PDB file of all heavy atoms in Angstrom:
ATOM      1  N   ASN D 244      -4.896  56.030  25.411  1.00  0.00           N
ATOM      2  CA  ASN D 244      -4.045  54.869  24.999  1.00  0.00           C
ATOM      3  C   ASN D 244      -4.731  53.558  25.114  1.00  0.00           C
ATOM      4  O   ASN D 244      -4.142  52.472  24.973  1.00  0.00           O
ATOM      5  CB  ASN D 244      -2.868  54.886  25.958  1.00  0.00           C
ATOM      6  CG  ASN D 244      -1.866  55.860  25.556  1.00  0.00           C
ATOM      7  OD1 ASN D 244      -1.847  56.305  24.412  1.00  0.00           O
ATOM      8  ND2 ASN D 244      -0.930  56.237  26.442  1.00  0.00           N
ATOM      9  N   PHE D 245      -6.029  53.587  25.510  1.00  0.00           N
ATOM     10  CA  PHE D 245      -6.674  52.302  25.782  1.00  0.00           C
ATOM     11  C   PHE D 245      -7.893  52.036  24.842  1.00  0.00           C
ATOM     12  O   PHE D 245      -8.617  52.942  24.434  1.00  0.00           O
ATOM     13  CB  PHE D 245      -7.244  52.284  27.225  1.00  0.00           C
ATOM     14  CG  PHE D 245      -6.143  52.044  28.204  1.00  0.00           C
ATOM     15  CD1 PHE D 245      -5.410  53.152  28.772  1.00  0.00           C
ATOM     16  CD2 PHE D 245      -5.799  50.769  28.591  1.00  0.00           C
ATOM     17  CE1 PHE D 245      -4.369  52.938  29.616  1.00  0.00           C
ATOM     18  CE2 PHE D 245      -4.788  50.558  29.467  1.00  0.00           C
ATOM     19  CZ  PHE D 245      -4.050  51.641  30.013  1.00  0.00           C
ATOM     20  N   ASP D 246      -8.049  50.744  24.511  1.00  0.00           N
ATOM     21  CA  ASP D 246      -9.173  50.271  23.688  1.00  0.00           C
ATOM     22  C   ASP D 246     -10.097  49.563  24.716  1.00  0.00           C
ATOM     23  O   ASP D 246      -9.622  48.731  25.431  1.00  0.00           O
ATOM     24  CB  ASP D 246      -8.702  49.310  22.582  1.00  0.00           C
ATOM     25  CG  ASP D 246      -7.944  49.922  21.508  1.00  0.00           C
ATOM     26  OD1 ASP D 246      -8.065  51.199  21.342  1.00  0.00           O
ATOM     27  OD2 ASP D 246      -7.188  49.198  20.803  1.00  0.00           O
ATOM     28  N   ILE D 247     -11.404  49.856  24.584  1.00  0.00           N
ATOM     29  CA  ILE D 247     -12.325  49.104  25.437  1.00  0.00           C
ATOM     30  C   ILE D 247     -13.292  48.362  24.547  1.00  0.00           C
ATOM     31  O   ILE D 247     -13.649  48.796  23.418  1.00  0.00           O
ATOM     32  CB  ILE D 247     -13.103  49.997  26.426  1.00  0.00           C
ATOM     33  CG1 ILE D 247     -13.869  51.068  25.792  1.00  0.00           C
ATOM     34  CG2 ILE D 247     -12.180  50.554  27.461  1.00  0.00           C
ATOM     35  CD1 ILE D 247     -14.966  51.671  26.671  1.00  0.00           C
ATOM     36  N   TYR D 248     -13.802  47.302  25.075  1.00  0.00           N
ATOM     37  CA  TYR D 248     -14.775  46.465  24.285  1.00  0.00           C
ATOM     38  C   TYR D 248     -15.745  45.902  25.318  1.00  0.00           C
ATOM     39  O   TYR D 248     -15.302  45.256  26.305  1.00  0.00           O
ATOM     40  CB  TYR D 248     -14.095  45.395  23.459  1.00  0.00           C
ATOM     41  CG  TYR D 248     -15.117  44.631  22.627  1.00  0.00           C
ATOM     42  CD1 TYR D 248     -15.527  45.093  21.435  1.00  0.00           C
ATOM     43  CD2 TYR D 248     -15.656  43.465  23.105  1.00  0.00           C
ATOM     44  CE1 TYR D 248     -16.486  44.460  20.684  1.00  0.00           C
ATOM     45  CE2 TYR D 248     -16.607  42.745  22.422  1.00  0.00           C
ATOM     46  CZ  TYR D 248     -16.951  43.245  21.157  1.00  0.00           C
ATOM     47  OH  TYR D 248     -17.926  42.590  20.462  1.00  0.00           O
ATOM     48  N   ILE D 249     -17.039  45.961  25.044  1.00  0.00           N
ATOM     49  CA  ILE D 249     -18.096  45.390  25.895  1.00  0.00           C
ATOM     50  C   ILE D 249     -19.091  44.686  24.944  1.00  0.00           C
ATOM     51  O   ILE D 249     -19.486  45.193  23.921  1.00  0.00           O
ATOM     52  CB  ILE D 249     -18.865  46.465  26.644  1.00  0.00           C
ATOM     53  CG1 ILE D 249     -17.875  47.296  27.542  1.00  0.00           C
ATOM     54  CG2 ILE D 249     -19.907  45.866  27.504  1.00  0.00           C
ATOM     55  CD1 ILE D 249     -18.464  48.627  28.046  1.00  0.00           C
ATOM     56  N   GLU D 250     -19.438  43.521  25.347  1.00  0.00           N
ATOM     57  CA  GLU D 250     -20.490  42.793  24.581  1.00  0.00           C
ATOM     58  C   GLU D 250     -21.377  41.979  25.558  1.00  0.00           C
ATOM     59  O   GLU D 250     -20.890  41.367  26.582  1.00  0.00           O
ATOM     60  CB  GLU D 250     -19.817  41.747  23.596  1.00  0.00           C
ATOM     61  CG  GLU D 250     -20.870  41.172  22.607  1.00  0.00           C
ATOM     62  CD  GLU D 250     -20.291  40.343  21.482  1.00  0.00           C
ATOM     63  OE1 GLU D 250     -19.080  40.559  21.214  1.00  0.00           O
ATOM     64  OE2 GLU D 250     -21.028  39.588  20.932  1.00  0.00           O
ATOM     65  N   ASN D 251     -22.598  42.003  25.330  1.00  0.00           N
ATOM     66  CA  ASN D 251     -23.617  41.272  26.158  1.00  0.00           C
ATOM     67  C   ASN D 251     -24.614  40.653  25.222  1.00  0.00           C
ATOM     68  O   ASN D 251     -25.078  41.190  24.297  1.00  0.00           O
ATOM     69  CB  ASN D 251     -24.313  42.390  27.025  1.00  0.00           C
ATOM     70  CG  ASN D 251     -25.286  41.787  27.978  1.00  0.00           C
ATOM     71  OD1 ASN D 251     -24.884  41.136  28.939  1.00  0.00           O
ATOM     72  ND2 ASN D 251     -26.542  41.894  27.703  1.00  0.00           N
ATOM     73  N   SER D 252     -24.877  39.452  25.647  1.00  0.00           N
ATOM     74  CA  SER D 252     -25.862  38.655  24.916  1.00  0.00           C
ATOM     75  C   SER D 252     -26.974  38.136  25.898  1.00  0.00           C
ATOM     76  O   SER D 252     -26.595  37.251  26.831  1.00  0.00           O
ATOM     77  CB  SER D 252     -25.219  37.485  24.170  1.00  0.00           C
ATOM     78  OG  SER D 252     -26.146  36.714  23.588  1.00  0.00           O
ATOM     79  N   ASN D 253     -28.153  38.583  25.808  1.00  0.00           N
ATOM     80  CA  ASN D 253     -29.228  38.040  26.701  1.00  0.00           C
ATOM     81  C   ASN D 253     -30.021  37.020  25.985  1.00  0.00           C
ATOM     82  O   ASN D 253     -30.485  37.255  24.861  1.00  0.00           O
ATOM     83  CB  ASN D 253     -30.182  39.182  27.174  1.00  0.00           C
ATOM     84  CG  ASN D 253     -29.523  40.017  28.237  1.00  0.00           C
ATOM     85  OD1 ASN D 253     -28.760  39.499  29.066  1.00  0.00           O
ATOM     86  ND2 ASN D 253     -29.874  41.273  28.282  1.00  0.00           N
ATOM     87  N   ASN D 254     -30.233  35.913  26.630  1.00  0.00           N
ATOM     88  CA  ASN D 254     -30.855  34.739  25.942  1.00  0.00           C
ATOM     89  C   ASN D 254     -32.068  34.183  26.809  1.00  0.00           C
ATOM     90  O   ASN D 254     -31.990  34.107  27.974  1.00  0.00           O
ATOM     91  CB  ASN D 254     -29.846  33.533  25.876  1.00  0.00           C
ATOM     92  CG  ASN D 254     -28.598  34.036  25.016  1.00  0.00           C
ATOM     93  OD1 ASN D 254     -28.551  33.836  23.827  1.00  0.00           O
ATOM     94  ND2 ASN D 254     -27.706  34.569  25.697  1.00  0.00           N
ATOM     95  N   ILE D 255     -33.077  33.810  26.061  1.00  0.00           N
ATOM     96  CA  ILE D 255     -34.240  32.987  26.634  1.00  0.00           C
ATOM     97  C   ILE D 255     -34.295  31.701  25.893  1.00  0.00           C
ATOM     98  O   ILE D 255     -34.386  31.714  24.634  1.00  0.00           O
ATOM     99  CB  ILE D 255     -35.456  33.868  26.518  1.00  0.00           C
ATOM    100  CG1 ILE D 255     -35.336  35.152  27.328  1.00  0.00           C
ATOM    101  CG2 ILE D 255     -36.701  33.085  26.968  1.00  0.00           C
ATOM    102  CD1 ILE D 255     -36.581  36.042  27.229  1.00  0.00           C
ATOM    103  N   TYR D 256     -34.432  30.680  26.650  1.00  0.00           N
ATOM    104  CA  TYR D 256     -34.389  29.348  25.975  1.00  0.00           C
ATOM    105  C   TYR D 256     -35.136  28.295  26.900  1.00  0.00           C
ATOM    106  O   TYR D 256     -35.272  28.549  28.124  1.00  0.00           O
ATOM    107  CB  TYR D 256     -33.014  28.782  25.669  1.00  0.00           C
ATOM    108  CG  TYR D 256     -32.058  28.894  26.894  1.00  0.00           C
ATOM    109  CD1 TYR D 256     -31.832  27.728  27.639  1.00  0.00           C
ATOM    110  CD2 TYR D 256     -31.406  30.050  27.264  1.00  0.00           C
ATOM    111  CE1 TYR D 256     -30.963  27.750  28.735  1.00  0.00           C
ATOM    112  CE2 TYR D 256     -30.572  30.041  28.312  1.00  0.00           C
ATOM    113  CZ  TYR D 256     -30.361  28.919  29.117  1.00  0.00           C
ATOM    114  OH  TYR D 256     -29.533  28.944  30.157  1.00  0.00           O
ATOM    115  N   ASN D 257     -35.508  27.127  26.308  1.00  0.00           N
ATOM    116  CA  ASN D 257     -36.067  26.067  27.124  1.00  0.00           C
ATOM    117  C   ASN D 257     -34.967  24.974  27.327  1.00  0.00           C
ATOM    118  O   ASN D 257     -34.127  24.786  26.544  1.00  0.00           O
ATOM    119  CB  ASN D 257     -37.343  25.516  26.486  1.00  0.00           C
ATOM    120  CG  ASN D 257     -36.992  24.889  25.060  1.00  0.00           C
ATOM    121  OD1 ASN D 257     -36.571  25.651  24.203  1.00  0.00           O
ATOM    122  ND2 ASN D 257     -37.247  23.652  24.973  1.00  0.00           N
ATOM    123  N   LYS D 258     -35.088  24.262  28.435  1.00  0.00           N
ATOM    124  CA  LYS D 258     -34.149  23.208  28.738  1.00  0.00           C
ATOM    125  C   LYS D 258     -34.343  21.964  27.812  1.00  0.00           C
ATOM    126  O   LYS D 258     -35.587  21.716  27.460  1.00  0.00           O
ATOM    127  CB  LYS D 258     -34.266  22.710  30.128  1.00  0.00           C
ATOM    128  CG  LYS D 258     -33.744  23.686  31.192  1.00  0.00           C
ATOM    129  CD  LYS D 258     -33.923  22.994  32.563  1.00  0.00           C
ATOM    130  CE  LYS D 258     -33.448  23.883  33.670  1.00  0.00           C
ATOM    131  NZ  LYS D 258     -33.778  23.354  34.925  1.00  0.00           N
ATOM    132  N   VAL D 259     -33.335  21.254  27.541  1.00  0.00           N
ATOM    133  CA  VAL D 259     -33.485  20.030  26.719  1.00  0.00           C
ATOM    134  C   VAL D 259     -34.231  19.009  27.536  1.00  0.00           C
ATOM    135  O   VAL D 259     -34.103  18.912  28.819  1.00  0.00           O
ATOM    136  CB  VAL D 259     -32.125  19.429  26.285  1.00  0.00           C
ATOM    137  CG1 VAL D 259     -31.270  19.089  27.429  1.00  0.00           C
ATOM    138  CG2 VAL D 259     -32.313  18.258  25.385  1.00  0.00           C
ATOM    139  N   LEU D 260     -35.168  18.300  26.896  1.00  0.00           N
ATOM    140  CA  LEU D 260     -36.007  17.210  27.554  1.00  0.00           C
ATOM    141  C   LEU D 260     -36.882  17.681  28.723  1.00  0.00           C
ATOM    142  O   LEU D 260     -37.246  16.889  29.628  1.00  0.00           O
ATOM    143  CB  LEU D 260     -35.107  16.038  28.081  1.00  0.00           C
ATOM    144  CG  LEU D 260     -34.400  15.322  26.929  1.00  0.00           C
ATOM    145  CD1 LEU D 260     -33.291  14.430  27.497  1.00  0.00           C
ATOM    146  CD2 LEU D 260     -35.421  14.374  26.240  1.00  0.00           C
ATOM    147  N   ARG D 261     -37.136  18.978  28.830  1.00  0.00           N
ATOM    148  CA  ARG D 261     -38.080  19.433  29.896  1.00  0.00           C
ATOM    149  C   ARG D 261     -39.339  19.850  29.251  1.00  0.00           C
ATOM    150  O   ARG D 261     -39.507  20.515  28.253  1.00  0.00           O
ATOM    151  CB  ARG D 261     -37.503  20.668  30.552  1.00  0.00           C
ATOM    152  CG  ARG D 261     -36.402  20.291  31.613  1.00  0.00           C
ATOM    153  CD  ARG D 261     -37.022  19.500  32.713  1.00  0.00           C
ATOM    154  NE  ARG D 261     -36.043  18.911  33.632  1.00  0.00           N
ATOM    155  CZ  ARG D 261     -35.788  19.366  34.767  1.00  0.00           C
ATOM    156  NH1 ARG D 261     -36.453  20.386  35.251  1.00  0.00           N
ATOM    157  NH2 ARG D 261     -34.859  18.788  35.507  1.00  0.00           N
ATOM    158  N   LYS D 262     -40.508  19.385  29.830  1.00  0.00           N
ATOM    159  CA  LYS D 262     -41.830  19.553  29.249  1.00  0.00           C
ATOM    160  C   LYS D 262     -42.497  20.811  29.806  1.00  0.00           C
ATOM    161  O   LYS D 262     -43.439  21.249  29.245  1.00  0.00           O
ATOM    162  CB  LYS D 262     -42.659  18.335  29.457  1.00  0.00           C
ATOM    163  CG  LYS D 262     -42.184  17.159  28.575  1.00  0.00           C
ATOM    164  CD  LYS D 262     -43.105  16.873  27.504  1.00  0.00           C
ATOM    165  CE  LYS D 262     -42.517  15.974  26.496  1.00  0.00           C
ATOM    166  NZ  LYS D 262     -43.520  15.152  25.782  1.00  0.00           N
ATOM    167  N   ASP D 263     -41.979  21.299  30.984  1.00  0.00           N
ATOM    168  CA  ASP D 263     -42.732  22.445  31.489  1.00  0.00           C
ATOM    169  C   ASP D 263     -42.483  23.654  30.542  1.00  0.00           C
ATOM    170  O   ASP D 263     -41.551  23.768  29.805  1.00  0.00           O
ATOM    171  CB  ASP D 263     -42.237  22.757  32.917  1.00  0.00           C
ATOM    172  CG  ASP D 263     -40.735  22.938  33.067  1.00  0.00           C
ATOM    173  OD1 ASP D 263     -40.111  23.432  32.121  1.00  0.00           O
ATOM    174  OD2 ASP D 263     -40.170  22.485  34.134  1.00  0.00           O
ATOM    175  N   ASP D 264     -43.369  24.581  30.653  1.00  0.00           N
ATOM    176  CA  ASP D 264     -43.325  25.705  29.791  1.00  0.00           C
ATOM    177  C   ASP D 264     -42.361  26.839  30.296  1.00  0.00           C
ATOM    178  O   ASP D 264     -42.190  27.868  29.618  1.00  0.00           O
ATOM    179  CB  ASP D 264     -44.712  26.368  29.619  1.00  0.00           C
ATOM    180  CG  ASP D 264     -45.608  25.398  28.825  1.00  0.00           C
ATOM    181  OD1 ASP D 264     -45.034  24.658  28.014  1.00  0.00           O
ATOM    182  OD2 ASP D 264     -46.840  25.445  29.060  1.00  0.00           O
ATOM    183  N   LYS D 265     -41.763  26.527  31.399  1.00  0.00           N
ATOM    184  CA  LYS D 265     -40.941  27.582  32.000  1.00  0.00           C
ATOM    185  C   LYS D 265     -39.613  27.812  31.157  1.00  0.00           C
ATOM    186  O   LYS D 265     -38.941  26.854  30.815  1.00  0.00           O
ATOM    187  CB  LYS D 265     -40.498  27.150  33.392  1.00  0.00           C
ATOM    188  CG  LYS D 265     -40.010  28.217  34.284  1.00  0.00           C
ATOM    189  CD  LYS D 265     -39.568  27.706  35.653  1.00  0.00           C
ATOM    190  CE  LYS D 265     -38.449  28.662  36.194  1.00  0.00           C
ATOM    191  NZ  LYS D 265     -37.570  27.973  37.019  1.00  0.00           N
ATOM    192  N   ASP D 266     -39.346  28.991  30.813  1.00  0.00           N
ATOM    193  CA  ASP D 266     -38.178  29.314  30.109  1.00  0.00           C
ATOM    194  C   ASP D 266     -36.966  29.655  31.012  1.00  0.00           C
ATOM    195  O   ASP D 266     -37.211  30.169  32.121  1.00  0.00           O
ATOM    196  CB  ASP D 266     -38.397  30.482  29.098  1.00  0.00           C
ATOM    197  CG  ASP D 266     -39.095  30.063  27.872  1.00  0.00           C
ATOM    198  OD1 ASP D 266     -38.915  28.855  27.494  1.00  0.00           O
ATOM    199  OD2 ASP D 266     -39.826  30.848  27.325  1.00  0.00           O
ATOM    200  N   GLU D 267     -35.818  29.366  30.547  1.00  0.00           N
ATOM    201  CA  GLU D 267     -34.595  29.677  31.292  1.00  0.00           C
ATOM    202  C   GLU D 267     -34.072  31.103  30.757  1.00  0.00           C
ATOM    203  O   GLU D 267     -34.248  31.393  29.561  1.00  0.00           O
ATOM    204  CB  GLU D 267     -33.510  28.666  30.974  1.00  0.00           C
ATOM    205  CG  GLU D 267     -33.805  27.290  31.606  1.00  0.00           C
ATOM    206  CD  GLU D 267     -33.781  27.252  33.103  1.00  0.00           C
ATOM    207  OE1 GLU D 267     -32.878  27.877  33.734  1.00  0.00           O
ATOM    208  OE2 GLU D 267     -34.736  26.709  33.623  1.00  0.00           O
ATOM    209  N   GLU D 268     -33.446  31.779  31.617  1.00  0.00           N
ATOM    210  CA  GLU D 268     -32.820  33.043  31.205  1.00  0.00           C
ATOM    211  C   GLU D 268     -31.331  32.969  31.372  1.00  0.00           C
ATOM    212  O   GLU D 268     -30.912  32.638  32.488  1.00  0.00           O
ATOM    213  CB  GLU D 268     -33.376  34.270  31.972  1.00  0.00           C
ATOM    214  CG  GLU D 268     -34.783  34.608  31.454  1.00  0.00           C
ATOM    215  CD  GLU D 268     -35.348  35.823  32.190  1.00  0.00           C
ATOM    216  OE1 GLU D 268     -34.531  36.579  32.704  1.00  0.00           O
ATOM    217  OE2 GLU D 268     -36.566  36.013  32.181  1.00  0.00           O
ATOM    218  N   GLY D 269     -30.541  33.190  30.362  1.00  0.00           N
ATOM    219  CA  GLY D 269     -29.157  33.119  30.523  1.00  0.00           C
ATOM    220  C   GLY D 269     -28.472  34.348  29.775  1.00  0.00           C
ATOM    221  O   GLY D 269     -29.144  35.079  29.122  1.00  0.00           O
ATOM    222  N   TYR D 270     -27.161  34.464  30.042  1.00  0.00           N
ATOM    223  CA  TYR D 270     -26.512  35.599  29.406  1.00  0.00           C
ATOM    224  C   TYR D 270     -25.010  35.173  29.147  1.00  0.00           C
ATOM    225  O   TYR D 270     -24.431  34.294  29.787  1.00  0.00           O
ATOM    226  CB  TYR D 270     -26.536  36.806  30.300  1.00  0.00           C
ATOM    227  CG  TYR D 270     -25.982  36.585  31.640  1.00  0.00           C
ATOM    228  CD1 TYR D 270     -24.631  36.627  31.834  1.00  0.00           C
ATOM    229  CD2 TYR D 270     -26.888  36.423  32.795  1.00  0.00           C
ATOM    230  CE1 TYR D 270     -24.085  36.482  33.162  1.00  0.00           C
ATOM    231  CE2 TYR D 270     -26.325  36.174  34.020  1.00  0.00           C
ATOM    232  CZ  TYR D 270     -24.929  36.174  34.247  1.00  0.00           C
ATOM    233  OH  TYR D 270     -24.444  35.993  35.502  1.00  0.00           O
ATOM    234  N   LEU D 271     -24.376  35.950  28.223  1.00  0.00           N
ATOM    235  CA  LEU D 271     -23.011  35.783  28.036  1.00  0.00           C
ATOM    236  C   LEU D 271     -22.452  37.295  27.952  1.00  0.00           C
ATOM    237  O   LEU D 271     -23.012  38.170  27.347  1.00  0.00           O
ATOM    238  CB  LEU D 271     -22.704  35.253  26.577  1.00  0.00           C
ATOM    239  CG  LEU D 271     -23.222  33.815  26.346  1.00  0.00           C
ATOM    240  CD1 LEU D 271     -23.259  33.509  24.885  1.00  0.00           C
ATOM    241  CD2 LEU D 271     -22.375  32.723  27.052  1.00  0.00           C
TER     242      LEU D 271
END
Side-chain angles (χ1 to χ4, degrees):
Chain D
N244 281 339
F245 284 89
D246 291 338
I247 59 162
Y248 182 83
I249 301 164
E250 189 170 343
N251 183 74
S252 176
N253 280 331
N254 300 267
I255 294 175
Y256 54 96
N257 60 298
K258 282 181 188 176
V259 63
L260 291 165
R261 282 295 171 106
K262 289 251 168 151
D263 53 33
D264 291 331
K265 196 182 154 210
D266 280 332
E267 295 291 315
E268 287 185 18
Y270 57 80
L271 298 164

